[in-house]
Amino acid sequence: MDFSTTMEIFVSNYTLIDNEIYELWVEGVSAIEAVCQLKGKALLQQGSNVEMLQSEIEDHYRTYSLLERLLHNPAKIKDHQLEFQIEPQIMSMLIQRYYKFDDAVYRDILGKKLSTRNRKDLDDLSERTGINILSCRRQFDNAKRVFKVVEEMPGLVVKNIIDNFALDKELAKSYATVVFLGSLRFDCTKRKLQYLSFQDLSHCAHAIMANWTCKEQGPEQDDTEFDREFLLDLKDLRVMLDKDREHKHFSLVCTKVKPQMLEKVFQDVENNFKTYTRAILGISCGLHRSREMRTLFIDMVEKCLEPWYAAHWSRADLSIFLEAYTYSALEMDALREAELRQSWERCMKVLSTSLICLHKDKKEKK
Amino acid sequence: MPGKVKVKIIAGRNLPVMDRSADTTDAYVEIKMANITHKTDVCRKSLNPQWQEEWHRFEVDDTELQDEPLQIRLMDYDVYSANDAIGKVYIDLNPLLHNSIDSADIIPPSSTSSKVRAPMLGGAATYGGWFPVYDTMHGIRGEVQVIVKIELFSDTNKFRDSSHGIKFFCTAGVPSGLHALFIHGFVEELILTEDPEYEWLDKIRTPRATNEARQTLFFKLSGEVKRRVGLKALEMGANAVIGYRLRFDLEGESGIVARGIGTAVTLVSQLDASPGTTLDELPFPSAAPGANTGSDSADNSFMDDEQHRLGQSNGSNTLSPSRIPNNMQRRSSDSDLSITPKGNSFGSTSGGGSGNNMRQFHRHSLPRPILNQESSIDLLEYPFLTLNKYPCGFIARFGGMVCARSVKLLERNTEEPESRDLWWHELRMEVRSHARALACNVVLGYREESTINDDVCILSASGTAAVVNMQHRDGHRISCRKFKSNKSSKKEPSENSNVSEENDEGKEDKSSKILIENVSKSRRLKTNITDGHSNQIPPHCTLCHVPYSLVNSPMPVNAIRCAVCKKGKVPDVLLTTVEPPEEAMITGRGCLVQVQVCRSKKDAKGEHNAKEISDSLPFLEYDMYSAIINKLRVKGMNSVFNLRVSVTVGDRLIVGIATGTALFLTPMPAPPIPKLIASKTNNSRLSLTEVQKRLQDACRNNREIYGVVPNQEKDANSGSESEESDEDLPALELASGNKDACIIEVDDGEDMNAVNLLIESTVPKGFEVVNTETIPGLAGYEVVSSLQMFTQVWRARVNPCQNSSYSASLNKHIRRLQQSLYFKLRKMVPCGLLRLRFKVELPDADEIQITILGMAIGLGKIAQPLKGSTKSKTSRKEETDMIFKLDEEVATIATPPASKESKKQPFYLGYTNLLKNSHEPPTGRYGVDITPLNFVPGAKIEEYLGNLNFFFIRESNSIREIGGYCNFVHGFINELLAIVRAHITALGGNAMVSYYMNEFTLLSAAHKNQGQCLIQVGGDAVRVSYSGDK
């Protein structure tokens, strides 16, 4: 007589969690693969064999798949789910791990509609990046879930994510990027933008959220909504394009920049200032049109960064220039009006930090 | 006594989406108590509805309060179609009934009544909190917040049918913090009813409706059985039932049998017990308080009981203590059923006795020990106690395990509950006569089991025959460790000393004639007898002395002089079904011993099946017992405690599995190493000597590991059996030719297999594995915390093949299961696995299922080793040394991998912290602890909140989508635990002790993608405080 096992389960009163196995599960590694990966490490104890390891891993996998339903609604379960007895700090760890993402995956879905059609495209992504397709799908679904819950919610998006998904602040900020860039449909998919990482764009997104949205306390507060008034105010920056003012601005910048820059780069500033200032002001003035807002990143790259790359500016040069550029303008009468001054500052804060962030030296780029 | 039940539905949360189009739910609640239904308003479009309504009041009859669960059903309101059920919550109101009870209900007003009542006041005042909403087709679907309160009116009517105020405990021992003033005796109840699954209605209703009908029925049955058991206890004058066990036999078309057994006791809190009494004292009352004589209970057996006790209480005053032994002697000499007390005819009243009873009661209500109690226990119809753990000094002698089985054919449609009663009555009588034959006055650790295959049912009753000290008068002077009083032993009846061990297959027993439908009973008695003459008998060892005379011994007996006192006679082997008593003298540590025997059987129907089974049973049992004795020898031990023998019958297989904790009792002789003898034919000498060598190595190893160094063993050469037994032989002359018991004949491969099975694989270092509540003889370590209650379920397809024996492959797989268990718990060492329960089911012709339930507890080193008694000091010392050695090895084994991996992966974050610091008692403990033990390790039980029983059914028509049967069952058990925890919390508790899982049935139809699972669980909800807490 022989037995062929059809079922082997192990259930305990306090839910057992093994970080290593959980990690593999989250990464979408199948139970059988997990056995192969852990085989070497776990079989140190006498009398154990691969079967036991497999049975243990399957127990854990089953537990996690039961947990998964709850992980889709983490804030609720964190405090009062009854189904699993898990210590709060471990529960919190499980949630953070489950919502952890790969930059490559989230870079890919930035600005895309989180539709079923796009979910199917994950196969390509998985092939390209070598990330398990199941993991890609989990990340996609996580993003979609967070997006769905938080999109329409008033208030600060990071706080909303923390409240509803019990995520760490850092993780919540990343999801805020996905939500923000997604809901305002920023174009991040252009070929020319491919060299930018998720973190780069996240940095820009948070700068925008911090400066250009309705951040004031109140019922209107929503940092996924632009401050329309402010954007319209930016149209008035057109005054800076006036020839005299442009020249004044140019000389102010030059005096500031000259001692800090190499001769070669300074030459470039002298020669091309007009191009540069027009590019920057052009972007700023057009922001109230949502189509131009959506193409902000590509505009920054094409209109500003590419000429600078051509002139071999370093990132340090860029930041010197932008600082001088911003503060010189403030010294001019054109921006005497307090409101416009403020708009200029708000606008340049974002553009400067974004441009510096997006500027990659050749080496960094590839 | 009607009561008012007040229910408030507050809110719901995490409800499922019932209205797909709007992604929401319009929930309302139906509250049903008995036949009255209330409804709440509909809370529109919310998955987290808030009702916040007024109290719903129900005026309920007293019996209904006990029988009927409060049913709370969440519904989704639908304008156009029928409203959909979301799920249900069942609330058993019994835990609430203890509170409001008037003392007059239990005990007639007397000076002591308040004292007797005081501890019973414990219990939940309200039952309230978040309850998981459970649906049989979908599992848990959200939660609902409910508060339930009960207002009871006091009722002193003697003729009532309710038994409010009787407290129930699954705990098979005196609940901690309480003190048993009297033990009144065995109480049982049985109800037979139709199974909704087999009603004609089932053909037209949905599976959900059937499942719910069954679940409701199970809750009702559990309440009704409890009420009726309580009624019996009440009439005996008890205020509690301990060691309560509720079983359901699903007999299929012939219905459902609900059986409850327990031990009726009068409990007082330890503080209230007067100085004259102590924990150690567990006297039997000589009579019931007179409150309920002439009750309208229609139960014969109760009337019998009542009559016995009345008769006895009238007569007892005239019996001098010296006469009692004679009385017992007479009984022990015959096992004829006709001599056992039969009750008076049913209709007779006991009016004359009630005055006497009152008098008796007043006498006994004094917490002073009572005279003449022997006669009381002796005259009880069933002198059975369902407890496993007894106070120090309660047990005087162990007789040995007694067991009776019978095979019955279930007949459709014609069965009456009386016939079931009769079946069990027969078995109990047989057990009682076995016990009497061993000159024992009680059966301890009594349990009843049944297994059903098609229409054949095997009923088993087993227990441990023992002599108990009924007049434990010196209680207050007896400390838990020292048993000073030897007076009790003087009363022992027997003059001669001898030991017996019998494997009686029952063929010559007249009670096991093969009848047409109730077939054979086989029985087995393991016994030992002693005399207790000498005043010089040192403490402790008397426990092992044989209690009955050799002259009257019904079986061949093998006795040896007690190794401690050199006076008494002890058996060479002792099998019991109870926990090892604290006062027992132990050498070394205990360990799990288990045998599995598996036999094939013809797939027959009806009577043929019954015959087939009953013919097979004796051989199965013989194989089991001989294997367990031989295994004991290999382990170097001489006794088994908490032995559980279960037999399961399937269509083609009969499986017997016996599990116990092996121990070396110091007074008893060391077992010889089994010796192999080959028949002359066809067996190669070489393999034989090889096996013999392995056997010897295993023996030596076991002795070393468990520290079994018998103190009478002089020569280091362990177990050279000839010398040792030679020395003792003179004493053995009475028992002729039993030396060959240690010789195993090996005739062919099958025998060889059997021998190989004797050598168990070793338990990994850092683990202590037993099936008792504690680890007997554990030195150097102490139990510091409770870690994990676990359930392991294994199911396999049986592929018949010729070349290997059934038992061997079953054994192999159970071994593998155990190893796998150790592997899963490897990160918890040092740890003890306690109270392991193995359950085998044969759900289908070619399927086998094994369920293991157990408790992992954390062990910690004791700073300074315990000072053992002088006698066992040396062995203890060695053992401690050894354990430390063990621990070092564990450390060296465990550290290298840990250091490699720990940087990357901190394993078991929270747990490891808790564990690696050698299991420091947790302070800020979270969650609800569920344990099959009757205590919570590392904590103190503050209050018992009530006994909970649950029976749940889960069904699914989408097994594949869930991820197979594994996920289905895993999820179900998980949900069940969640529900149990929620109910404990709602009662104000934070732990459950004596947790059990009785029924675990999985019916699968893979081709239909269907599965159904039935589980019965329960235990005692308690509130505990952890030692670290303030």
Side-chain angles (χ1 to χ4, degrees):
Chain A
M1 187 176 66
D2 197 24
F3 300 108
S4 48
T5 303
T6 54
M7 174 194 289
E8 187 170 346
I9 58 166
F10 177 89
V11 189
S12 50
N13 182 31
Y14 294 98
T15 307
L16 288 176
I17 304 293
D18 182 301
N19 286 4
E20 207 173 352
I21 300 175
Y22 184 70
E23 190 76 14
L24 291 172
W25 176 77
V26 168
E27 280 166 18
V29 178
S30 76
I32 294 160
E33 276 175 62
V35 173
C36 298
Q37 289 195 23
L38 295 176
K39 206 158 41 179
K41 292 180 190 170
L43 293 185
L44 294 153
Q45 202 192 10
Q46 252 195 336
S48 58
N49 57 30
V50 179
E51 259 175 57
M52 289 173 195
L53 182 67
Q54 183 176 345
S55 133
E56 179 179 60
I57 288 173
E58 279 170 2
D59 285 329
H60 280 277
Y61 268 54
R62 267 195 303 277
T63 306
Y64 304 148
S65 65
L66 290 170
L67 258 173
E68 192 166 20
R69 193 168 49 83
L70 302 179
L71 286 170
H72 292 168
N73 208 344
K76 269 185 190 161
I77 62 162
K78 205 182 163 211
D79 303 321
H80 49 237
Q81 59 88 19
L82 305 171
E83 270 179 69
F84 297 88
Q85 282 208 120
I86 299 178
E87 272 181 81
Q89 63 263 40
I90 292 185
M91 193 71 220
S92 155
M93 179 275 287
L94 294 180
I95 296 168
Q96 309 312 321
R97 293 267 182 99
Y98 188 75
Y99 282 87
K100 218 179 61 178
F101 61 91
D102 291 301
D103 277 2
V105 177
Y106 275 16
R107 173 65 191 85
D108 188 74
I109 63 171
L110 272 186
K112 275 188 191 161
K113 234 180 135 193
L114 298 172
S115 62
T116 327
R117 199 168 53 83
N118 280 327
R119 194 173 186 267
K120 282 185 190 131
D121 296 343
L122 291 172
D123 290 359
D124 291 343
L125 179 71
S126 163
E127 229 163 81
R128 223 171 39 237
T129 56
I131 295 164
N132 193 307
I133 178 67
L134 294 175
S135 175
C136 292
R137 291 204 185 122
R138 171 184 58 81
Q139 295 179 35
F140 184 90
D141 293 342
N142 283 346
K144 189 171 176 178
R145 196 175 312 114
V146 173
F147 188 89
K148 220 173 138 188
V149 170
V150 174
E151 189 193 9
E152 302 283 301
M153 228 176 236
L156 302 178
V157 63
V158 174
K159 188 176 171 295
N160 284 340
I161 292 173
I162 290 174
D163 289 352
N164 286 282
F165 290 90
L167 301 183
D168 287 345
K169 186 139 193 211
E170 277 312 303
L171 208 48
K173 276 175 103 172
S174 300
Y175 276 91
T177 304
V178 174
V179 172
F180 179 75
L181 297 181
S183 68
L184 296 168
R185 288 198 275 144
F186 275 85
D187 187 348
C188 312
T189 51
K190 284 271 162 14
R191 216 193 152 76
K192 278 184 177 161
L193 294 177
Q194 285 312 311
Y195 75 94
L196 295 172
S197 74
F198 175 79
Q199 293 307 333
D200 298 334
L201 290 171
S202 182
H203 180 83
C204 302
H206 281 279
I208 297 170
M209 283 158 73
N211 293 292
W212 293 358
T213 58
C214 313
K215 284 218 28 154
E216 274 81 56
Q217 282 283 326
E220 301 278 279
Q221 188 188 37
D222 186 346
D223 59 0
T224 54
E225 282 292 308
F226 284 115
D227 184 350
R228 301 252 32 124
E229 246 168 76
F230 156 75
L231 293 180
L232 287 169
D233 285 350
L234 289 181
K235 279 199 292 186
D236 299 344
L237 291 176
R238 219 177 286 276
V239 293
M240 303 275 293
L241 290 168
D242 179 280
K243 240 192 178 141
D244 297 344
R245 290 190 178 117
E246 197 178 281
H247 191 74
K248 176 99 186 284
H249 196 186
F250 168 68
S251 44
L252 282 169
V253 170
C254 281
T255 34
K256 283 206 172 113
V257 156
K258 196 173 178 188
Q260 301 176 57
M261 273 180 173
L262 292 173
E263 188 57 32
K264 207 180 94 195
V265 178
F266 181 67
Q267 280 290 315
D268 184 61
V269 174
E270 277 190 316
N271 296 340
N272 296 317
F273 180 79
K274 203 192 260 177
T275 329
Y276 299 155
T277 187
R278 280 182 188 177
I280 292 171
L281 287 172
I283 291 172
S284 310
C285 294
L287 285 176
H288 64 279
R289 281 189 288 271
S290 44
R291 186 149 39 84
E292 284 182 40
M293 178 60 94
R294 277 181 215 158
T295 55
L296 175 67
F297 294 125
I298 189 80
D299 288 348
M300 283 199 285
V301 170
E302 281 181 346
K303 293 181 182 160
C304 308
L305 290 172
E306 278 178 357
W308 287 327
Y309 285 139
H312 302 292
W313 284 36
S314 73
R315 189 184 283 176
D317 297 331
L318 182 58
S319 79
I320 293 164
F321 171 76
L322 284 171
E323 200 188 333
Y325 181 79
T326 308
Y327 289 102
S328 306
L330 292 173
E331 288 167 26
M332 292 160 37
D333 329 340
L335 299 182
R336 225 175 335 158
E337 215 180 306
E339 224 164 278
L340 197 57
R341 264 178 100 83
Q342 220 179 10
S343 297
W344 171 254
E345 275 183 305
R346 267 172 89 179
C347 175
M348 282 316 290
K349 229 187 236 171
V350 173
L351 290 184
S352 309
T353 180
S354 300
L355 286 168
I356 292 168
C357 176
L358 301 189
H359 180 98
K360 304 275 167 181
D361 293 332
K362 277 264 163 56
K363 272 175 254 158
E364 281 179 80
K365 249 175 116 176
K366 267 293 151 191
Chain B
M1 179 175 67
K4 252 192 228 166
V5 179
K6 299 197 294 179
V7 184
K8 192 176 204 170
I9 309 290
I10 298 170
R13 69 184 180 201
N14 303 340
L15 298 187
V17 170
M18 297 299 286
D19 180 356
R20 293 220 170 261
S21 57
D23 259 9
T24 184
T25 295
D26 303 320
Y28 70 95
V29 182
E30 282 179 9
I31 309 140
K32 190 175 175 202
M33 182 68 218
N35 291 319
I36 316 155
T37 307
H38 288 208
K39 279 181 193 171
T40 66
D41 296 335
V42 178
C43 188
R44 290 213 171 264
K45 297 199 186 307
S46 173
L47 300 183
N48 300 290
Q50 295 284 326
W51 286 287
Q52 285 297 357
E53 293 198 340
E54 291 301 294
W55 292 94
H56 294 272
R57 284 162 209 275
F58 300 85
E59 289 172 358
V60 205
D61 191 31
D62 55 347
T63 49
E64 281 171 344
L65 270 179
Q66 289 195 289
D67 291 0
E68 298 276 342
L70 177 69
Q71 300 179 50
I72 292 167
R73 182 202 292 273
L74 269 79
M75 300 289 289
D76 173 54
Y77 176 77
D78 225 326
V79 183
Y80 302 109
S81 57
N83 298 339
D84 297 320
I86 300 173
K88 263 179 120 169
V89 176
Y90 291 90
I91 298 178
D92 179 4
L93 298 176
N94 277 300
L96 290 176
L97 300 177
H98 306 294
N99 238 7
S100 343
I101 197 96
D102 192 316
S103 62
D105 278 316
I106 308 173
I107 291 154
S110 78
S111 58
T112 54
S113 69
S114 65
K115 271 186 183 173
V116 178
R117 284 238 338 111
M120 297 282 93
L121 278 171
T126 55
Y127 205 146
W130 288 98
F131 296 93
V133 177
Y134 180 77
D135 177 67
T136 57
M137 305 302 289
H138 293 100
I140 292 180
R141 297 170 109 189
E143 286 126 36
V144 62
Q145 192 182 10
V146 181
I147 299 179
V148 186
K149 286 184 181 174
I150 293 190
E151 254 174 58
L152 284 180
F153 313 146
S154 146
D155 180 10
T156 51
N157 181 4
K158 289 173 186 170
F159 304 105
R160 63 201 168 86
D161 289 329
S162 61
S163 56
H164 299 180
I166 295 285
K167 214 167 173 188
F168 281 80
F169 297 89
C170 288
T171 302
V174 179
S176 97
L178 296 172
H179 167 71
L181 205 56
F182 310 122
I183 292 184
H184 299 268
F186 181 69
V187 280
E188 48 77 36
E189 188 56 72
L190 181 149
I191 297 172
L192 172 69
T193 182
E194 293 215 342
D195 190 340
E197 180 102 350
Y198 295 89
E199 280 172 33
W200 67 268
L201 197 58
D202 191 51
K203 293 193 167 58
I204 54 165
R205 63 182 164 189
T206 61
R208 172 182 283 122
T210 305
N211 290 340
E212 283 185 5
R214 281 180 109 186
Q215 273 189 181
T216 309
L217 179 71
F218 284 121
F219 272 98
K220 281 185 186 173
L221 283 175
S222 120
E224 196 183 336
V225 169
K226 217 182 233 183
R227 173 174 61 82
R228 284 164 54 170
V229 168
L231 216 51
K232 287 185 179 174
L234 206 57
E235 290 173 43
M236 287 175 152
N239 66 358
V241 174
I242 56 180
Y244 177 67
R245 270 183 218 112
L246 176 69
R247 286 295 164 95
F248 293 108
D249 300 334
L250 306 181
E251 293 185 350
E253 281 178 35
S254 52
I256 298 172
V257 175
R259 297 181 281 120
I261 61 170
T263 304
V265 292
T266 300
L267 293 179
V268 294
S269 84
Q270 255 169 40
L271 296 175
D272 290 339
S274 81
T277 57
T278 71
L279 182 68
D280 310 281
E281 195 178 348
L282 256 167
F284 285 86
S286 65
N292 294 293
T293 54
S295 135
D296 56 351
S297 158
D299 195 278
N300 276 322
S301 64
F302 169 71
M303 289 306 290
D304 289 351
D305 256 348
E306 182 79 348
Q307 293 303 331
H308 298 156
R309 266 182 285 102
L310 288 176
Q312 153 261 310
S313 62
N314 286 330
S316 59
N317 293 338
T318 64
L319 277 177
S320 73
S322 61
R323 274 197 56 203
I324 290 148
N326 298 336
N327 183 16
M328 274 176 60
Q329 190 84 322
R330 180 181 60 77
R331 288 194 180 288
S332 63
S333 59
D334 56 46
S335 58
D336 194 336
L337 295 187
S338 66
I339 304 213
T340 58
K342 289 264 184 223
N344 297 355
S345 69
F346 168 52
S348 72
T349 57
S350 51
S354 62
N356 189 3
N357 272 348
M358 286 308 271
R359 190 167 49 79
Q360 290 278 346
F361 171 73
H362 283 297
R363 192 149 58 80
H364 296 309
S365 64
L366 302 173
R368 218 172 353 95
I370 304 116
L371 284 168
N372 300 332
Q373 285 157 341
E374 290 87 344
S375 51
S376 155
I377 185 71
D378 211 35
L379 284 168
L380 278 179
E381 186 184 25
Y382 305 128
F384 301 157
L385 301 180
T386 55
L387 313 184
N388 286 337
K389 185 84 191 158
Y390 295 88
C392 230
F394 180 73
I395 304 169
R397 301 284 160 86
F398 276 122
M401 184 174 170
V402 288
C403 171
R405 290 182 207 282
S406 75
V407 179
K408 302 283 182 187
L409 195 64
L410 300 170
E411 271 183 89
R412 309 220 157 136
N413 309 325
T414 56
E415 297 295 343
E416 302 283 312
E418 285 74 38
S419 71
R420 302 292 192 287
D421 269 329
L422 206 65
W423 291 354
W424 287 110
H425 179 75
E426 282 170 11
L427 271 190
R428 289 172 192 144
M429 280 318 194
E430 193 179 333
V431 166
R432 190 184 69 169
S433 68
H434 290 341
R436 295 246 158 96
L438 295 174
C440 291
N441 55 2
V442 288
V443 176
L444 308 176
Y446 179 73
R447 53 180 55 249
E448 293 176 349
E449 308 284 342
S450 74
T451 171
I452 295 167
N453 169 242
D454 197 20
D455 56 354
V456 177
C457 177
I458 303 182
L459 312 179
S460 321
S462 62
T464 305
V467 177
V468 298
N469 291 321
M470 281 159 303
Q471 282 180 301
H472 200 50
R473 210 161 315 204
D474 308 325
H476 55 290
R477 268 188 267 126
I478 294 174
S479 76
C480 264
R481 292 263 158 222
K482 291 271 172 189
F483 178 58
K484 284 179 193 154
S485 163
N486 295 318
K487 284 175 195 160
S488 55
S489 56
K490 282 186 193 166
K491 295 195 191 100
E492 290 306 325
S494 51
E495 261 87 51
N496 303 335
S497 52
N498 53 27
V499 189
S500 88
E501 175 197 321
E502 186 215 36
N503 290 350
D504 170 9
E505 287 314 314
K507 279 176 216 144
E508 66 284 338
D509 188 336
K510 61 183 170 186
S511 64
S512 57
K513 283 168 283 191
I514 296 176
L515 302 174
I516 291 177
E517 60 204 57
N518 48 354
V519 204
S520 87
K521 300 167 183 179
S522 63
R523 76 161 92 150
R524 185 163 311 262
L525 310 171
K526 297 281 161 184
T527 12
N528 39 356
I529 318 122
T530 340
D531 90 323
H533 259 358
S534 154
N535 287 333
Q536 258 71 45
I537 295 172
H540 302 298
C541 75
T542 47
L543 206 58
C544 307
H545 294 181
V546 280
Y548 77 99
S549 116
L550 176 77
V551 178
N552 293 323
S553 157
M555 59 238 159
V557 149
N558 188 5
I560 287 166
R561 282 205 187 281
C562 172
V564 175
C565 65
K566 314 283 185 204
K567 294 259 166 53
K569 293 290 179 176
V570 293
D572 56 353
V573 174
L574 177 66
L575 304 183
T576 75
T577 60
V578 295
E579 297 279 322
E582 282 172 56
E583 67 269 30
M585 295 178 82
I586 300 167
T587 304
R589 274 169 304 147
C591 67
L592 192 77
V593 59
Q594 186 180 61
V595 296
Q596 306 87 19
V597 176
C598 189
R599 291 172 65 89
S600 66
K601 147 183 149 353
K602 270 185 234 142
D603 191 2
K605 286 273 168 273
E607 282 173 25
H608 296 290
N609 195 13
K611 171 123 180 17
E612 178 82 22
I613 292 168
S614 49
D615 287 350
S616 200
L617 268 181
F619 296 97
L620 183 85
E621 291 206 66
Y622 178 80
D623 285 351
M624 268 200 280
Y625 285 100
S626 54
I628 210 156
I629 299 288
N630 284 331
K631 264 197 177 174
L632 262 188
R633 292 190 171 125
V634 174
K635 291 222 182 278
M637 314 233 184
N638 57 18
S639 60
V640 182
F641 285 88
N642 230 352
L643 180 63
R644 304 232 175 164
V645 181
S646 71
V647 175
T648 313
V649 181
D651 290 343
R652 298 217 191 92
L653 289 176
I654 303 184
V655 177
I657 182 164
T659 316
T661 297
L663 260 187
F664 190 98
L665 290 176
T666 320
M668 284 162 50
I673 295 177
K675 193 159 186 161
L676 302 181
I677 290 182
S679 58
K680 304 100 215 167
T681 50
N682 75 17
N683 221 343
S684 91
R685 277 266 139 211
L686 193 70
S687 74
L688 190 72
T689 46
E690 208 174 276
V691 173
Q692 174 76 47
K693 191 173 175 303
R694 277 180 52 210
L695 209 58
Q696 269 167 348
D697 288 348
C699 289
R700 203 166 305 123
N701 273 341
N702 281 328
R703 287 180 192 221
E704 230 169 73
I705 290 170
Y706 297 107
V708 185
V709 186
N711 49 10
Q712 77 264 45
E713 203 169 292
K714 289 136 214 158
D715 40 320
N717 194 358
S718 65
S720 65
E721 75 261 55
S722 55
E723 289 178 48
E724 195 186 313
S725 40
D726 276 351
E727 278 179 18
D728 281 334
L729 256 183
L732 262 171
E733 269 167 350
L734 294 166
S736 53
N738 260 356
K739 239 179 75 185
D740 61 348
C742 56
I743 289 173
I744 302 169
E745 249 182 81
V746 181
D747 285 337
D748 53 16
E750 201 179 300
D751 288 345
M752 197 59 111
N753 270 335
V755 171
N756 277 325
L757 292 185
L758 296 178
I759 305 165
E760 285 189 342
S761 52
T762 48
V763 173
K765 282 160 185 164
F767 283 102
E768 297 289 339
V769 189
V770 293
N771 79 335
T772 47
E773 302 256 342
T774 52
I775 304 165
L778 183 75
Y781 279 84
E782 64 184 341
V783 174
V784 288
S785 62
S786 83
L787 297 178
Q788 235 354 322
M789 184 277 295
F790 54 83
T791 313
Q792 192 173 26
V793 183
W794 176 76
R795 209 174 158 94
R797 194 156 291 285
V798 180
N799 310 316
C801 71
Q802 295 301 314
N803 51 11
S804 66
S805 103
Y806 288 89
S807 305
S809 50
L810 182 63
N811 176 281
K812 197 180 83 193
H813 278 274
I814 289 191
R815 248 184 227 186
R816 196 187 58 80
L817 276 183
Q818 277 170 278
Q819 291 296 337
S820 153
L821 201 60
Y822 304 144
F823 182 74
K824 281 170 198 183
L825 300 170
R826 67 191 180 279
K827 285 156 191 166
M828 295 188 176
V829 290
C831 94
L833 303 186
L834 306 188
R835 237 188 145 202
L836 283 180
R837 291 279 179 278
F838 293 78
K839 207 167 156 56
V840 178
E841 309 237 7
L842 300 160
D844 213 345
D846 55 353
E847 269 198 312
I848 184 164
Q849 173 184 304
I850 297 171
T851 317
I852 305 175
L853 181 82
M855 180 75 196
I857 53 150
L859 300 176
K861 267 183 216 167
I862 302 173
Q864 51 213 99
L866 274 178
K867 274 166 203 154
S869 68
T870 42
K871 287 263 171 195
S872 59
K873 206 172 186 177
T874 46
S875 65
R876 274 183 191 243
K877 219 179 193 173
E878 279 169 46
E879 197 187 315
T880 348
D881 288 349
M882 210 190 55
I883 287 176
F884 286 128
K885 239 185 282 160
L886 269 183
D887 189 57
E888 279 163 19
E889 280 170 42
V890 168
T892 50
I893 288 170
T895 39
S899 58
K900 256 185 247 163
E901 289 164 13
S902 57
K903 276 172 219 154
K904 229 177 109 189
Q905 283 98 8
F907 279 3
Y908 294 100
L909 276 173
Y911 297 114
T912 19
N913 292 344
L914 201 143
L915 308 180
K916 290 295 169 188
N917 307 339
S918 62
H919 309 296
E920 267 169 28
T923 44
R925 190 107 193 163
Y926 76 100
V928 176
D929 214 357
I930 298 182
T931 169
L933 306 174
N934 58 25
F935 62 98
V936 180
K940 179 171 169 278
I941 295 177
E942 300 282 342
E943 194 178 6
Y944 284 86
L945 299 163
N947 175 254
L948 295 173
N949 294 290
F950 297 93
F951 199 108
F952 282 105
I953 301 173
R954 179 84 159 82
E955 190 167 343
S956 177
N957 296 320
S958 51
I959 295 292
R960 234 171 286 128
E961 290 79 352
I962 301 174
Y965 287 103
C966 287
N967 281 28
F968 175 63
V969 175
H970 189 132
F972 182 37
I973 296 178
N974 209 35
E975 287 181 332
L976 215 97
L977 289 173
I979 294 171
V980 172
R981 288 193 297 256
H983 280 263
I984 296 166
T985 313
L987 282 170
N990 58 0
M992 173 173 268
V993 294
S994 305
Y995 169 80
Y996 66 86
M997 183 188 273
N998 274 348
E999 188 74 39
F1000 181 98
T1001 311
L1002 173 64
L1003 306 165
S1004 56
H1007 57 285
K1008 285 190 202 150
N1009 206 13
Q1010 278 177 349
Q1012 191 190 32
C1013 191
L1014 292 82
I1015 298 185
Q1016 187 203 353
V1017 296
D1020 295 329
V1022 293
R1023 187 162 49 75
V1024 301
S1025 62
Y1026 292 94
S1027 37
D1029 290 357
K1030 276 169 192 169

